[in-house]
């Protein structure tokens, strides 16, 4: 009898060896072997396979992040937009996906390389949450420590850690502000001014000064024409990526917006 399933349960096969064995085994042989499995073995196989699929997804994200991290280092000072676009098309990876993968590698790569068993405790989505810019480093540190203790870091756990440490950081920040206000007079805020643009920013097509940020729209290439529809598409794509990277749901349209 084909002992493939027993070997899977025993953890004797690597992913490559497993695929080789399945490729060499007929459907009839697999069916025959499956008929001899007890209910307990079927349950154990389900758990084993789901665990392995989760690990493969995590490892794939870490590997992708490593390659993209190296690509960014090689090209970050080149500034060739056309080559950039060709790369993303050839790799078939969106820039939003790339930024998330790089963030995961930067946050967890060294730990996972040093302690490979930790990948079994995470899911790819929980890594994206924990690696996000809005997640305090303390949340990532606690997640790794929990994983070392054998806890599964699900999406729910990741969100709880993110919320817990974000609240702590906000409270600490407020305390610092209060302390400063009691000892130092608060200067009146300056009136916002749309100051003249300098340097490369002087070539801007359009600029906007909000209450928090200043936006400057420049052509992607020196030869680019000011295509209003193209500018709008790029701004909408930038906002969509910003929402995606910070896990902010898209704003719902008001009844009057239609």
């Amino acid at each position: 009898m084909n002992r493939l399933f027993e070997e899977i349960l025993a953890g004797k096969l690597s992913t490559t060896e497993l695929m080789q064995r399945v490729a060499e085994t007929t459907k009839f042989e697999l069916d025959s072997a499956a008929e001899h499995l007890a209910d307990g073995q079927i349950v154990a196989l389900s758990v084993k396979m789901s665990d392995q699929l989760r690990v493969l997804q995590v490892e794939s994200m870490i590997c992708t992040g490593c390659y993209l991290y190296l690509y960014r280092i090689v090209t970050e000072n080149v500034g060739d937009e056309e080559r950039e676009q060709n790369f993303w098309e050839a790799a078939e990876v969106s820039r939003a996906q790339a930024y998330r993968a790089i963030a995961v590698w930067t946050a967890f790569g060294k730990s996972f390389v040093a302690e490979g068993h930790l990948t079994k405790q995470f899911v790819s989505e929980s890594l994206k949450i924990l690696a996000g810019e809005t997640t305090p480093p303390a949340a990532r540190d606690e997640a790794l420590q929990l994983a070392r203790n054998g806890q599964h870091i699900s999406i729910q756990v990741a969100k709880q850690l993110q919320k817990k440490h974000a609240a702590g950081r906000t409270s600490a920040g407020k305390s610092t502000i209060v302390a400063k206000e009691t000892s130092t007079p608060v200067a009146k805020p300056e009136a916002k001014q749309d100051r003249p643009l300098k340097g490369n920013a002087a070539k801007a097509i359009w600029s906007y000064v909000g209450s928090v940020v200043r936006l400057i729209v420049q052509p992607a290439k020196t030869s680019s024409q000011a295509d209003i529809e193209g500018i709008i598409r790029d701004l909408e794509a930038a906002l969509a990526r910003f929402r995606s990277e910070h896990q902010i749901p898209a704003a719902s349209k008001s009844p009057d917006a239609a």
Side-chain angles (χ1 to χ4, degrees):
M1 183 184 68
N2 191 298
R3 299 185 58 82
L4 175 64
F5 297 116
E6 286 82 354
E7 291 181 55
I8 293 174
L9 286 172
K12 295 181 178 180
L13 302 175
S14 67
T15 301
T16 301
E17 291 170 335
L18 173 64
M19 292 190 294
Q20 182 69 31
R21 289 286 299 280
V22 173
E24 294 172 349
T25 306
T26 66
K27 176 69 163 54
F28 175 79
E29 290 174 319
L30 292 173
D31 288 339
S32 299
E35 289 177 358
H36 293 83
L37 293 173
D39 289 344
Q41 288 177 303
I42 294 174
V43 172
L45 277 168
S46 299
V47 173
K48 187 84 172 178
M49 291 179 180
S50 63
D51 286 347
Q52 188 59 31
L53 286 172
R54 188 173 65 248
V55 169
L56 288 172
Q57 291 175 11
V58 169
E59 289 178 345
S60 175
M61 170 163 285
I62 291 292
C63 183
T64 299
C66 179
Y67 274 105
L68 291 172
Y69 172 75
L70 291 175
Y71 173 76
R72 186 180 66 179
I73 288 177
V74 170
T75 62
E76 62 184 347
N77 295 320
V78 176
D80 188 332
E81 184 64 25
E82 184 175 354
R83 182 163 57 188
E84 280 276 300
Q85 188 61 35
N86 291 338
F87 172 81
W88 299 120
E89 291 177 0
E92 296 187 353
V93 177
S94 72
R95 298 199 187 198
Q97 290 174 319
Y99 290 128
R100 285 194 293 268
I102 292 172
V104 169
W105 167 259
T106 303
F108 295 99
K110 290 183 179 179
S111 297
F112 285 171
V113 170
E115 305 172 82
H117 62 282
L118 293 181
T119 58
K120 298 179 181 179
Q121 305 301 332
F122 289 84
V123 295
S124 57
E125 290 302 317
S126 67
L127 289 175
K128 292 176 186 178
I129 294 170
L130 291 167
E133 291 182 4
T134 58
T135 302
R140 295 190 276 273
D141 293 339
E142 184 172 352
L144 286 169
Q145 190 55 50
L146 291 173
R148 291 185 182 103
N149 294 334
Q151 180 169 337
H152 175 59
I153 310 301
S154 63
I155 295 174
Q156 182 179 2
V157 171
K159 288 182 176 179
Q160 288 172 346
L161 291 173
Q162 183 188 53
K163 183 177 180 181
K164 169 186 172 182
H165 290 281
R169 183 169 63 178
T170 301
S171 299
K174 288 180 178 178
S175 300
T176 303
I177 292 172
V178 170
K180 288 182 178 179
E181 288 179 345
T182 56
S183 59
T184 307
V186 179
K188 293 182 179 181
E190 296 180 2
K192 287 187 296 183
Q193 301 180 30
D194 193 357
R195 298 171 184 170
L197 301 174
K198 298 180 180 180
N200 291 333
K203 301 176 183 177
I205 299 171
W206 179 76
S207 66
Y208 170 80
V209 179
S211 60
V212 180
V213 298
R214 178 176 187 158
L215 305 179
I216 299 174
V217 177
Q218 295 176 265
K221 300 179 182 179
T222 55
S223 59
S224 296
Q225 298 298 317
D227 175 7
I228 301 301
E229 293 298 325
I231 293 172
I232 293 173
R233 285 196 301 271
D234 283 353
L235 287 172
E236 290 175 342
L239 180 58
R241 194 184 84 187
F242 184 86
R243 288 184 180 279
S244 175
E245 291 177 3
H246 292 81
Q247 299 173 359
I248 302 171
S252 57
K253 293 184 178 180
S254 63
D256 299 331

